Amino acid sequence: MIRFIVFLAAMMAAPELAVAQQLPTDLLNVPVDGSVAAWIIRTFGLLTVLSVAPGILIMVTSFPRFVIAFSILRSGMGLSSTPSNMILLSLSLFMTFYVMSPTFDQAWQNGVQPLLANQVNETEAVQRIAEPFRTFMAANTRDKDLALFVDLARERGQNIPTAGPIDYRVLIPAFMISEIRRGFEIGFLVVLPFLVIDLIVATITMAMGMMMLPPTSISLPFKILFFVLIDGWNLLVGSLVRSFS
């Protein structure tokens, strides 16, 4: 995680500092030639990347599966705000770093370190950094979802090569819907026992004639007790981590 943060800082700061040292002090009297225009475009691109960084984190990592499963768990237990959104997002974020740590390490070793050592240029470094993420997404994307976006791209007149690495234009959206689907699958399996508890409690309360008493208020302690007794967090997190290829 620390390497990944340092990598982002290096990617953002190093090129701009190098170019800034070459720029004249009075930019108002300098014509906008190729070098200055390139610096402006690079700075604009950097700001754009920073603005969409949270979206990139969601698109190409395991974050969606974790946050969907945890959110469905909270809803299934009947808890509206416990654990809080901050806790669920923080847990999902750190579990994402845990699952993605081999990918981050490969990106650091293959792309960031050679770039910092001036062994490769920025274009090649970006390609090396992106390749581990491509491998991770391809391993966790359903063939059916991938084929869907390949067909949609061809229907729109886009040329998607079938040989070689998978194009990011089809890989990223296919990976996202695959992650959402798996998150809902795991969420269904998590919620099912709580639904059974709700049905049992509702049947008992109806049989006892307590129609005015909400069954959910009675079943909530039993659902929490059940989840604690089976060590639910350990089982859920372990299953989520093992579900990644």
Side-chain angles (χ1 to χ4, degrees):
M1 177 178 176
I2 296 177
R3 288 183 176 180
F4 184 65
I5 296 174
V6 173
F7 150 66
L8 289 179
M11 287 290 292
M12 291 184 294
E16 276 63 39
L17 290 176
V19 174
Q21 293 176 357
Q22 300 174 2
L23 290 176
T25 56
D26 189 3
L27 289 177
L28 297 178
N29 298 327
V30 177
V32 182
D33 56 4
S35 60
V36 178
W39 177 79
I40 294 174
I41 294 174
R42 177 182 296 176
T43 304
F44 179 77
L46 173 63
L47 295 176
T48 303
V49 170
L50 288 177
S51 63
V52 300
I56 295 176
L57 174 65
I58 294 175
M59 288 189 296
V60 300
T61 64
S62 58
F63 183 81
R65 191 183 305 188
F66 283 106
V67 73
I68 290 174
F70 293 154
S71 299
I72 294 178
L73 168 65
R74 184 176 65 179
S75 299
M77 294 184 67
L79 301 171
S80 59
S81 59
T82 304
S84 64
N85 290 331
M86 181 177 294
I87 294 177
L88 291 183
L89 291 175
S90 300
L91 179 59
S92 302
L93 183 62
F94 279 97
M95 293 310 304
T96 298
F97 281 117
Y98 180 81
V99 171
M100 299 293 298
S101 58
T103 303
F104 291 152
D105 290 340
Q106 292 180 16
W108 174 270
Q109 295 172 3
N110 299 337
V112 181
Q113 287 184 342
L115 177 64
L116 297 179
N118 294 324
Q119 298 176 356
V120 296
N121 56 29
E122 296 176 1
T123 302
E124 185 177 356
V126 170
Q127 294 176 353
R128 292 187 178 186
I129 292 169
E131 190 59 33
F133 291 92
R134 188 204 303 267
T135 303
F136 174 81
M137 289 187 290
N140 292 278
T141 302
R142 293 196 311 163
D143 295 336
K144 183 178 180 180
D145 296 330
L146 193 60
L148 169 65
F149 284 96
V150 170
D151 294 338
L152 291 176
R154 290 175 177 173
E155 291 176 4
R156 297 168 60 89
Q158 299 178 0
N159 184 18
I160 303 298
T162 56
I166 305 174
D167 197 309
Y168 286 109
R169 291 175 295 177
V170 299
L171 179 59
I172 292 178
F175 171 75
M176 290 186 67
I177 65 173
S178 296
E179 286 297 287
I180 294 173
R181 181 180 184 274
R182 290 193 178 99
F184 275 99
E185 288 176 349
I186 296 175
F188 169 77
L189 297 177
V190 170
V191 169
L192 195 58
F194 301 132
L195 177 61
V196 174
I197 294 176
D198 284 333
L199 291 176
I200 294 174
V201 172
T203 302
I204 294 175
T205 54
M206 291 290 291
M208 297 178 63
M210 296 185 296
M211 299 181 181
M212 301 301 295
L213 184 63
T216 54
S217 61
I218 301 177
S219 63
L220 179 59
F222 292 100
K223 289 189 287 188
I224 296 177
L225 178 62
F226 169 76
F227 192 71
V228 171
L229 290 178
I230 65 172
D231 200 4
W233 285 112
N234 184 285
L235 293 175
L236 177 59
V237 172
S239 300
L240 284 169
V241 172
R242 294 188 182 97
S243 65
F244 289 95
S245 301

